[in-house]
Amino acid sequence: MVHRSIARDVRDARLIAGTEFRRTLRAIRANDSRFASVVVLALFTVPMGLVWLYGAYALGEGVDVGPGAAPLIGSFVLPAVAGFAATVAFQTVQDGPFPDHPTLPLSIASTRAVVLSKLFAALVAVAVWLVVPTVVFGGAFLAGAGAGLLAPAVAVWLVPIVLAAVPLGYLAGLWLIRLNRRLPVPTAGKAGVWAVFVLGSIVVGQRVGYVVADEGLGSLETGFLPAFGPTTAYASLLFGGGELPMGLAVGAALLAVGAIVARRATTEAAELWFADRPDSAENEPEGSMRPPTPFALTKTGRVAWHYLRLAYRAPRRLTHLLFLLFLVFPMVGPLAEAELAALRFAPSVGVLACALLAGATFSLNPIGDERGTLPVVLLSGTDAAAFVRGRVLAGLVVGLAALVACVALGAAVGVPPVALGLLALLAVGLSPAAGGVAAGFGVLLPKYEPEEIFGVETVRPSNVPLFAFEIGTIAVSALGLLVVGAPAPTVGSLVSRWPFVLAYAAVVAGSGAVGYLVAVRRLGAWTVER
């Protein structure tokens, strides 16, 4: 093997990473749907960021930020390393082990250069999405505490933490990919574990937020995050404290860890790219191709069974549902704050979950999701309405499973049976309409371009219909819960509000019918009749 200098590998890595970055920007500008998604995301994020900025400033008011705060700041060192590393690991698993278009970079550059290019890309992503917001919101917090001049020092102080965390996260991502290949568990089981992990992380984050709001920042040091000598010494560097030698040693150790782990990641990546071969077929159950009796009775049911089976055998087709968790996570707050007492809201959450899943699971990209089988769908002779109804029915099955679980929780904590029945009736009425609206959004802005998510090439819905449907469904479902008198509606409350109930039902049914007709007409215009 010809020896290559580190300088040459760094240069090649910079060229590869720069090329990939420019290619991504060109792809966004060339695709109107992706560009619109970026604009919508920015319009959604900027107002929220301003609110959080004011919250950070208000949180800092009255806080003494000085040398005495070094233990508290030091308690954030290890969680910061873990958080940045977890983000990079998540991104590595999502993007897959190979670089984009791997043949060219793996042919013209060394493995170390390709790994370094991935690390450079991860560094830029962490800097843009995590470090810059941390410095901005941290600066607002420090300004509230009367120590705004510390913000530039915080930016420099974070550099060793990030340079240690990024290689750690990349290596952890490679290990997770290898474990995924070797673990003899069906893919559906792995997807379930991943969803539980994400939801658990949200619950823990909400719980920490409520503790900080109730007890102050000092509760983190005493109850959640570890603080000890080396991390406290590293934090004291912000104030030029007396533990300067120890603090500098910790910073040097973080940089050394990053370099050592980056070297190990090169070896791991080479083994994963060139020696290790995935053998996931053994973990995928075949099962019967024949639909069960309830689905076999109608053409719509058979279509629904087809999509349910696809989702079971390839759950990564549903990765867009992770966005649901991030949109509805504020509603987890009452669960984190009130614990078991909040379970009386579980049936109401089930109504929302049922409506969201009924539409978002299969109906948000009914044309682009077919990919190579789209010609078969258009030439099959099956009318477009059956395909649209089948997708909605498949999503409704998934949504009803979530509804049943939430209703069971509500029954366990004593929610009256009448209230459970009325909320279930609301969910059953909302969900088909949500499916029709989702299908209408999906055919207006289809997405055909595949992308690699969690190591598998898939096509997920465009962000515009995804966010529009989810935000709209949350608003409409919340209005419905308010109209029926959740969390414990009664027949009397519905009778007393009958004009509002009828108006709400008419709006829901009308919007669902319009979305359904738009989807059927658009898909039917392409279908070849026999």
Side-chain angles (χ1 to χ4, degrees), residues 216-475:
L217 288 171
S219 60
L220 294 179
E221 181 187 351
T222 59
F224 287 91
L225 310 180
F228 53 97
T231 57
T232 301
Y234 186 64
S236 69
L237 292 179
L238 290 171
F239 311 103
E243 300 184 66
L244 186 62
M246 174 65 78
L248 292 175
V250 172
L254 289 171
L255 296 175
V257 167
I260 294 170
V261 174
R263 182 172 182 177
R264 174 58 193 167
T266 301
T267 304
E268 189 71 22
E271 294 177 359
L272 197 61
W273 292 343
F274 304 120
D276 192 67
R277 289 289 179 265
D279 190 15
S280 58
E282 298 178 0
N283 299 334
E284 300 301 327
E286 286 296 330
S288 172
M289 295 293 293
R290 187 181 300 277
T293 301
F295 293 95
L297 297 178
T298 63
K299 184 179 293 186
T300 298
R302 292 190 291 273
V303 173
W305 176 252
H306 162 73
Y307 290 114
L308 288 170
R309 181 175 173 79
L310 279 180
Y312 175 71
R313 298 194 64 187
R316 295 181 182 89
R317 295 169 61 97
L318 307 181
T319 51
H320 61 280
L321 295 182
L322 287 175
F323 287 102
L324 292 176
L325 296 178
F326 293 103
L327 277 178
V328 303
F329 84 91
M331 286 177 286
V332 182
L335 294 176
E337 182 183 27
E339 299 175 349
L340 290 178
L343 290 179
R344 69 183 187 277
F345 293 100
S348 302
V349 174
V351 172
L352 174 60
C354 186
L356 284 171
L357 290 172
T361 306
F362 299 106
S363 299
L364 276 173
N365 195 23
I367 299 175
D369 185 51
E370 297 292 350
R371 298 190 63 188
T373 61
L374 182 58
V376 178
V377 172
L378 300 179
L379 297 171
S380 65
T382 300
D383 58 296
F387 277 106
V388 176
R389 290 196 303 267
R391 283 182 173 273
V392 174
L393 177 59
L396 181 60
V397 170
V398 178
L400 287 176
L403 176 65
V404 169
C406 292
V407 167
L409 284 175
V413 297
V415 177
V418 173
L420 295 176
L422 292 175
L423 289 173
L425 187 62
L426 174 62
V428 172
L430 273 175
S431 299
V437 171
F441 276 136
V443 297
L444 292 178
L445 286 171
K447 183 178 180 181
Y448 305 97
E449 300 82 5
E451 54 186 294
E452 195 173 75
I453 300 178
F454 299 113
V456 171
E457 216 178 52
T458 186
V459 176
R460 65 175 183 85
S462 177
N463 287 336
V464 172
L466 178 64
F467 287 126
F469 167 76
E470 291 176 0
I471 294 173
T473 302
I474 290 173

